[in-house]
C-alpha cells in the first residue's frame, strides 16, 4: 500500500511539473512546454536549435504501449508498457539542429517535432526544457549510420537515441555517401562538427564503406586527423569498424573482401581502424566483428531481415529492425568500455 501511494504521489508531482511554471523560476525563464503543443499523434515545439530535455508521463485508464520518435525518423523512446490506471515517467535528451537530418540534406521543419507511436499509445503529460548539462554523443559516419530520411532505410545512429536516458544526447552528423576524404573536405561536415565538440563529449567515427579508392596511407592519415581534431576540442574519440555487408561465401561465412570491407586497392578498412586505435590509444568498437558474428549466426535466410534484402535486394543498408539491433550492439559496447555512465543508458522498455 505504501508503494502505491508513493507511485501516485510521484505521478501527481510530475503532472504538476508538466503544466506549471516553478514558483522559483525567474521572470525571464522560459515556460516549460507541455501537452498544449500536442495532438493525439504528434507534438510540435517552436524552439531554436539546441539540446532539450524531454520528460514524459505515460499511461491512461486502459493498458497502454507508447513509443516516441522525432525529427528525421529518430527513435527517441522505445515502446513502453504501462498497466491500466497507472502512470510511468520517462525522460530523454534530444538534439535539435538545422539541417535536422543528414548534414547535406534539406533543412527540415524548424523546432522540435515528436511522433507518438506504439501499439496503444497514451501520453498523459510532457515537459520540454533546455538541457543544461547534457553530454553529446557525436556520430561521424556514412549512410549506414545517418538519420535516413525515408522508409524502409535506417542507420544505426538513427536508432541509438532510444537506448540513452536524459542527460545524454545523440548528435548524428553522419551523411550518405561520405568517405574519410569527403568528410574532411566538405565544409558542411567535419568543419561544422569539430567546433561543436565540448570537453567530455564522445565522437564515434565509422567511415569506410565509401573509401573504395582510398589508399591505405591516406585512409590512416584521415582517421588520425579526425582523432586529433576531437582531442584538440577536449572530446573523446571512439573509432568504430564498419558494419559488414551481408555477402555470404559458399561455406556460409562472411570471409570475403566484399563483406569485410576490403576495397579495390586491397585496403582492409577494419584492420587499419584497429591499428590506428591501438597506436593512438583510442577506444575501439569492433562493429565489424560483432555484426559478422551475428549475421553468420542467423545464416543466409535469417539475416535478410537485418538488411534491406527483401525490399531492395540491398545487402549493405539496414532495415529499421537491423539498425535497431546494431544500435543495441553499440549501446552494449559503450557500457562495456565504460564510455558512458550506466545510469544514462537504457536497457529496458
Amino acid at each position: 500500500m505504501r508503494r502505491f501511494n508513493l507511485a501516485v504521489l510521484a505521478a501527481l508531482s510530475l503532472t504538476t511539473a508538466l503544466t506549471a511554471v516553478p514558483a522559483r523560476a525567474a521572470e525571464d525563464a522560459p515556460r516549460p512546454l507541455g501537452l498544449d503543443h500536442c495532438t493525439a499523434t504528434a507534438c510540435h515545439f517552436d524552439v531554436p536549435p539546441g539540446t532539450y530535455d524531454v520528460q514524459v508521463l505515460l499511461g491512461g485508464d486502459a493498458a497502454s504501449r507508447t513509443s516516441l520518435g522525432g525529427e528525421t525518423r529518430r527513435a527517441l523512446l522505445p515502446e513502453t508498457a504501462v498497466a491500466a490506471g497507472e502512470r510511468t515517467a520517462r525522460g530523454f535528451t534530444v538534439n535539435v539542429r538545422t539541417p535536422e537530418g543528414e548534414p547535406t540534406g534539406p533543412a527540415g521543419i524548424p523546432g522540435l517535432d515528436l511522433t507518438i507511436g506504439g501499439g496503444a499509445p497514451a501520453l498523459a503529460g510532457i515537459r520540454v526544457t533546455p538541457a543544461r548539462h547534457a553530454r553529446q554523443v557525436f556520430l561521424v559516419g556514412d549512410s549506414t549510420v545517418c538519420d535516413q530520411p525515408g522508409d524502409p532505410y535506417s542507420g544505426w545512429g538513427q536508432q541509438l537515441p532510444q537506448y540513452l536516458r536524459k542527460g545524454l544526447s545523440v548528435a548524428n552528423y553522419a551523411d550518405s555517401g561520405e568517405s574519410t576524404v569527403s568528410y574532411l573536405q566538405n565544409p558542411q561536415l567535419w568543419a561544422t562538427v569539430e567546433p561543436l565538440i565540448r570537453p567530455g563529449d564522445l565522437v564515434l567515427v565509422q567511415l569506410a564503406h565509401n573509401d573504395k579508392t582510398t589508399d591505405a596511407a591516406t585512409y590512416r592519415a584521415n582517421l588520425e586527423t579526425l582523432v586529433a581534431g576531437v582531442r584538440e576540442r577536449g572530446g573523446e574519440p571512439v573509432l568504430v569498424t564498419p558494419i559488414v555487408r551481408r555477402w555470404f561465401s559458399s561455406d556460409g561465412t562472411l570471409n570475403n573482401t566484399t563483406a569485410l570491407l576490403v576495397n579495390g586497392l586491397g585496403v582492409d578498412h577494419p584492420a587499419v581502424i584497429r591499428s590506428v586505435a591501438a597506436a593512438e590509444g583510442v577506444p575501439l568498437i569492433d562493429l565489424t566483428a560483432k555484426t559478422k558474428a551475428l549475421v553468420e549466426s542467423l545464416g543466409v535466410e535469417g539475416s535478410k531481415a537485418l538488411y534491406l534484402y527483401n525490399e531492395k535486394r540491398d545487402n549493405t543498408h539496414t532495415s529499421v529492425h537491423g539498425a535497431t539491433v546494431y544500435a543495441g550492439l553499440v549501446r552494449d559496447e559503450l557500457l562495456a568500455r565504460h564510455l558512458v555512465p550506466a545510469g544514462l543508458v537504457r536497457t529496458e522498455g
Side-chain angles (χ1 to χ4, degrees):
M1 186 65 177
R2 173 177 169 79
R3 179 177 300 176
F4 173 79
N5 287 338
L6 289 175
V8 171
L9 178 61
L12 290 174
S13 298
L14 178 57
T15 303
T16 301
L18 295 172
T19 57
V21 178
R24 57 186 169 83
E27 290 184 3
D28 59 349
R31 181 184 177 89
L33 302 174
L35 275 178
D36 53 331
H37 294 263
C38 301
T39 67
T41 58
C43 303
H44 174 77
F45 304 95
D46 188 15
V47 296
T51 305
Y52 295 88
D53 289 333
V54 180
Q55 188 76 11
V56 297
L57 192 66
L58 307 177
D61 294 338
S64 61
R65 301 189 309 278
T66 309
S67 62
L68 288 172
E71 298 296 88
T72 302
R73 303 178 62 240
R74 300 179 215 164
L76 299 173
L77 187 72
E79 187 172 78
T80 303
V82 182
E86 295 188 3
R87 301 290 187 273
T88 296
R90 290 287 187 269
F92 56 88
T93 301
V94 60
N95 173 253
V96 176
R97 60 183 184 270
T98 303
E100 71 176 34
E102 294 182 86
T104 62
I109 301 172
L112 170 61
D113 286 279
L114 302 176
T115 55
I116 305 167
L123 180 64
I126 188 167
R127 181 176 186 266
V128 176
T129 55
R132 301 302 182 188
H133 304 289
R135 185 183 182 192
Q136 296 279 21
V137 179
F138 288 93
L139 303 182
V140 170
D142 52 37
S143 58
T144 65
V145 184
C146 75
D147 287 348
Q148 288 280 0
D151 188 65
Y153 293 89
S154 180
W156 62 255
Q158 204 162 17
Q159 302 300 322
L160 185 61
Q162 67 185 300
Y163 291 119
L164 306 180
R165 298 180 186 274
K166 189 171 70 172
L168 196 58
S169 172
V170 174
N172 191 351
Y173 283 86
D175 196 71
S176 294
E178 306 300 341
S179 65
T180 58
V181 176
S182 64
Y183 204 95
L184 286 168
Q185 290 178 344
N186 190 330
Q188 293 176 280
L189 300 173
W190 184 239
T192 296
V193 176
E194 188 176 15
L196 300 176
I197 301 169
R198 295 181 177 179
D201 287 340
L202 285 182
V203 183
L204 276 58
V205 178
Q206 186 216 279
L207 287 167
H209 279 85
N210 300 302
D211 280 280
K212 299 173 183 177
T213 60
T214 309
D215 63 78
T218 301
Y219 185 65
R220 185 182 189 93
N222 289 343
L223 292 175
E224 292 170 344
T225 296
L226 290 166
V227 167
V230 174
R231 285 175 165 167
E232 287 172 3
R233 297 290 302 174
E236 182 171 8
V238 180
L239 292 179
V240 183
T241 60
I243 66 170
V244 293
R245 292 191 177 98
R246 184 191 161 278
W247 197 269
F248 283 91
S249 299
S250 59
D251 63 357
T253 70
L254 301 181
N255 296 325
N256 58 76
T257 58
T258 299
L260 300 182
L261 283 296
V262 178
N263 75 8
L265 301 179
V267 179
D268 185 332
H269 293 104
V272 176
I273 295 169
R274 296 179 188 117
S275 175
V276 172
E280 298 291 328
V282 175
L284 173 74
I285 295 178
D286 198 341
L287 206 49
T288 304
K290 293 287 184 182
T291 55
K292 178 179 186 293
L294 177 59
V295 171
E296 287 180 343
S297 72
L298 292 173
V300 173
E301 290 301 318
S303 62
K304 287 179 179 178
L306 295 173
Y307 292 81
L308 293 174
Y309 179 84
N310 294 323
E311 298 86 349
K312 303 285 186 179
R313 295 297 188 268
D314 186 334
N315 291 307
T316 297
H317 297 97
T318 49
S319 62
V320 170
H321 167 67
T324 303
V325 171
Y326 287 176
L329 296 178
V330 174
R331 181 269 316 271
D332 294 345
E333 287 294 291
L334 292 174
L335 275 175
R337 299 181 183 283
H338 306 290
L339 293 169
V340 297
L344 296 182
V345 178
R346 195 183 309 281
T347 57
E348 83 289 343

